[in-house]
Amino acid sequence: NASVSILTYSSVGNKLAGKIKDGSISNDFIRPVSLKYYMMAEELGDRTYSMIFTFLPVCIVAAFMVPFRIPSSFLVGGLFLISLLLGIILIYYINYTLGLLAFWFKNSIYVNWFLGAFFTLFGGTAVPLWFYPDFLKNIAYILPFRYVSYEPISIFLEKVDLENALIIILAQLIWILTFALLESFVWNKAQKVITIQGG
């Protein structure tokens, strides 16, 4: 759980909001690459660093201290890795889209507040969703936050069968597409805000 949380952590929303707040984002507009993909590459670099120097050492130490569970088959392991990758992409898009809202709010505090509150309550990482009362569980199941780390972990622990694992991956793809479209819409609106402020 902790290792997956390390890999699915994202700070791109705060970074983007900070760039907007201090005005340094103007330098990014003249780069020969898309800001979104530039920050995505930077984020993947951070996650790769975390995987090599944090995730792997934790796994090695844990293997000597406690029984280390591995997937029962290559299929389960493959589905877990696909779902984990999609979870990383999904949290990036959620963060990036929220970061773009700083064009209007001129602040980055809301990114930490929103993501912290909603992931803690509806992400299923602090408290597994099966412990929730029905009304909270129903809310969590219509929001995207559980697809970042809770569902990949469920696949790894084989809490779901093959059919449901494929449904989870499909749902992740749908949420990624949804946020990609939302991000594109917000970005187009933000460019108009930049034009207005710039005269």
Side-chain angles (χ1 to χ4, degrees):
N1 191 352
S3 300
V4 171
S5 296
I6 291 170
L7 292 175
T8 54
Y9 172 78
S10 177
S11 60
V12 68
N14 277 324
K15 290 179 181 178
L16 180 58
K19 285 176 175 287
I20 295 170
K21 184 178 180 180
D22 63 22
S24 62
I25 194 171
S26 59
N27 297 323
D28 295 297
F29 286 124
I30 61 176
R31 294 181 188 273
V33 294
S34 164
L35 174 62
K36 176 174 68 176
Y37 295 119
Y38 169 78
M39 297 195 74
M40 181 181 288
E42 187 177 54
E43 187 82 353
L44 288 175
D46 290 342
R47 299 285 65 76
T48 301
Y49 179 89
S50 295
M51 182 177 67
I52 295 173
F53 294 102
T54 304
F55 176 69
L56 290 180
V58 167
C59 288
I60 293 171
V61 172
F64 287 101
M65 298 178 62
V66 295
F68 191 74
R69 179 169 181 170
I70 61 174
S72 62
S73 67
F74 286 110
L75 177 59
V76 173
L79 290 173
F80 163 70
L81 291 176
I82 292 170
S83 183
L84 178 60
L85 176 61
L86 293 177
I88 293 171
I89 295 172
L90 177 57
I91 187 58
Y92 171 83
Y93 267 108
I94 293 174
N95 262 275
Y96 188 82
T97 304
L98 284 175
L100 287 175
L101 297 180
F103 278 112
W104 292 272
F105 293 127
K106 312 301 180 188
N107 201 308
S108 63
I109 295 176
Y110 71 92
V111 178
N112 276 335
W113 180 87
F114 178 87
L115 288 178
F118 276 74
F119 269 105
T120 299
L121 188 58
F122 299 116
T125 52
V127 179
L129 297 181
W130 57 76
F131 288 122
Y132 277 27
D134 287 341
F135 79 97
L136 277 180
K137 189 185 297 184
N138 290 336
I139 295 173
Y141 271 71
I142 63 174
L143 294 175
F145 306 106
R146 67 188 175 99
Y147 291 106
V148 174
S149 58
Y150 173 79
E151 295 296 4
I153 291 172
S154 296
I155 293 175
F156 181 85
L157 296 177
E158 300 182 58
K159 297 289 187 181
V160 296
D161 57 22
L162 174 60
E163 181 180 352
N164 282 311
L166 293 174
I167 291 173
I168 287 169
I169 290 173
L170 177 61
Q172 288 177 303
L173 289 170
I174 292 172
W175 274 114
I176 289 171
L177 177 60
T178 299
F179 273 95
L181 293 173
L182 180 60
E183 172 272 320
S184 180
F185 173 78
V186 175
W187 175 244
N188 288 334
K189 293 292 183 182
Q191 288 180 304
K192 294 179 181 179
V193 172
I194 297 169
T195 302
I196 293 171
Q197 291 179 342

